[in-house]
Amino acid sequence: MEEKKKSRVLIIGATGRLGNYLTRFSIESGHPTFALTRHSTLSDNLKSLSDAGVTLLKGSLEDERSLAEAVSKVDVVISAIPSKHVLDQKLLIKVIKQAGSIKRFIPAEYGANPDKTQVSDLDHGFYSKKSQIKRMIESEGIPYTYICCGLFMRILLPSLVQPGLHSPPIDNKVTVFGDGNVKAVFVNDVDVAAFTIKTIDDPRTLNKTLYLRPPENICSMNDLVQLWEGKIEKKLEKSFVTENQLLKKIKETPYPDNMEMVFIYSVFIKGDHTYFDIESSGGVNGTELYPDVKYMTVSEFLDTLL
């Protein structure tokens, strides 16, 4: 039987951390891979992508002509731009709609499902902007896959969820938010990229939200503290911060300095990663769908902090 032809993939934001991983997994998986870049001269990062087999296309999300030319070359578009620029995808959606040939668009979603978060009065539009992009995609009838991975391990985890710190506590005290029992999800960037590329030609993920919930990486604050105590072979004294105390601190701290605490409130107080069932919400579990993807566990990540 003849092997099915691999989709051609355009990645926007390929020079970023996640975008770089996406391009490399795309190439390794046999997809003809293109990257949209503003730069006419090759940086070390762009040269490494080019050397790996990525076709570089000059253009930007503000230039309709370059977007249309890039989109015309591919079957699948993946956006990996930073969350603060998420609304910059509006012109891209218009171009994809006009092209009419894109089999799948994976927007810059990642993180928590913006439609499931419960912090809209605190997040300064962080999640509502992502929901706005989703509604545009759906209203235009563009085929999609949304990727919801919880928190990247590099966010909050390096400090063991201790705001203001850059490394986990090794003395005798640690702060716990709420009762410490609400579960959050952590996934490493490189693993998010691996799962994302798996979806490209998979009909099971078309017009679905792919959730990543590796069982070992669904952790409460109490779980994290216990794991860390085992690694440093020392018991830590827990200081509990109530929901009201955290809300007060969020409101007293100016934006954007308070966003770290907003994320903590979202995942460790409201449970925005895990309060709902994947199947009943119309999503699919990527960890179960692709058991061959080897991912870093929270425990392994904490080992890197020792």
Side-chain angles (χ1 to χ4, degrees):
M1 183 180 293
E2 185 178 351
E3 185 178 353
K4 186 178 179 182
K5 189 176 180 181
K6 296 273 188 173
S7 289
R8 299 164 298 165
V9 179
L10 171 67
I11 296 174
I12 298 172
T15 57
R17 184 194 304 259
L18 179 61
N20 192 281
Y21 291 137
L22 285 164
T23 56
R24 294 186 183 279
F25 276 113
S26 181
I27 285 290
E28 289 172 12
S29 299
H31 296 281
T33 304
F34 301 76
L36 191 72
T37 172
R38 292 176 179 272
H39 308 288
S40 55
T41 56
L42 287 183
S43 64
D44 289 343
N45 194 350
L46 289 175
K47 185 177 185 306
S48 68
L49 291 177
S50 179
D51 290 345
V54 178
T55 301
L56 304 179
L57 305 173
K58 192 171 184 300
S60 76
L61 287 173
E62 294 82 38
D63 180 1
E64 185 169 354
R65 179 175 294 180
S66 67
L67 279 180
E69 185 176 345
V71 166
S72 71
K73 297 178 183 296
V74 300
D75 309 297
V76 173
V77 177
I78 303 176
S79 177
I81 64 173
S83 293
K84 63 183 178 181
H85 299 306
V86 69
L87 292 182
D88 292 350
Q89 298 172 110
K90 287 184 175 181
L91 182 57
L92 175 60
I93 292 170
K94 174 187 173 185
V95 167
I96 289 174
K97 173 65 174 179
Q98 289 176 341
S101 57
I102 295 302
K103 298 190 299 186
R104 189 179 312 233
F105 177 39
I106 301 176
E109 175 101 344
Y110 315 104
N113 184 337
D115 295 337
K116 298 291 185 181
T117 58
Q118 305 166 83
V119 293
S120 59
D121 56 335
L122 299 171
D123 70 351
H124 301 272
F126 181 86
Y127 290 113
S128 64
K129 291 173 184 175
K130 291 187 175 185
S131 290
Q132 184 179 341
I133 290 298
K134 290 174 69 172
R135 301 293 85 79
M136 287 184 64
I137 293 168
E138 292 157 11
S139 67
E140 295 290 2
I142 294 170
Y144 65 84
T145 297
Y146 303 137
I147 309 293
C148 292
C149 61
L151 282 169
F152 290 129
M153 286 181 171
R154 60 184 163 84
I155 300 173
L156 296 183
L157 203 52
S159 69
L160 208 71
V161 199
Q162 305 297 294
L165 297 186
H166 300 290
S167 58
I170 55 174
D171 55 16
N172 63 338
K173 291 186 178 180
V174 63
T175 300
V176 174
F177 296 93
D179 63 8
N181 293 321
V182 178
K183 303 279 188 178
V185 179
F186 296 90
V187 186
N188 205 17
D189 300 59
V190 64
D191 301 329
V192 173
F195 280 108
T196 299
I197 296 303
K198 284 281 190 180
T199 71
I200 287 176
D201 288 323
D202 188 346
R204 297 173 297 177
T205 60
L206 187 61
N207 296 331
K208 297 280 187 180
T209 297
L210 184 88
Y211 291 94
L212 302 181
R213 290 188 184 177
E216 304 93 328
N217 295 359
I218 304 174
C219 299
S220 68
M221 284 212 67
N222 287 333
D223 294 331
L224 294 176
V225 172
Q226 185 176 14
L227 275 171
W228 185 242
E229 287 175 334
K231 295 182 185 301
I232 62 174
E233 298 181 340
K234 184 187 296 185
K235 295 295 290 184
L236 300 175
E237 178 186 342
K238 293 179 181 178
S239 173
F240 290 86
V241 174
T242 67
E243 178 176 352
N244 287 338
Q245 289 171 327
L246 180 57
L247 281 171
K248 184 173 184 292
K249 186 68 174 175
I250 289 171
K251 292 171 181 176
E252 290 174 348
T253 305
Y255 173 81
D257 295 339
N258 63 356
M259 284 304 291
E260 184 179 32
M261 290 182 287
V262 171
F263 292 140
I264 291 172
Y265 179 75
S266 170
V267 298
F268 287 110
I269 299 291
K270 304 302 287 185
D272 283 342
H273 289 175
T274 54
Y275 78 86
F276 58 93
D277 177 72
I278 290 176
E279 191 172 329
S280 64
S281 70
V284 291
N285 189 326
T287 322
E288 295 177 355
L289 213 56
Y290 308 116
D292 57 318
V293 175
K294 305 303 179 186
Y295 53 82
M296 174 178 275
T297 67
V298 165
S299 180
E300 290 167 342
F301 182 87
L302 293 180
D303 285 336
T304 69
L305 305 178
L306 292 171

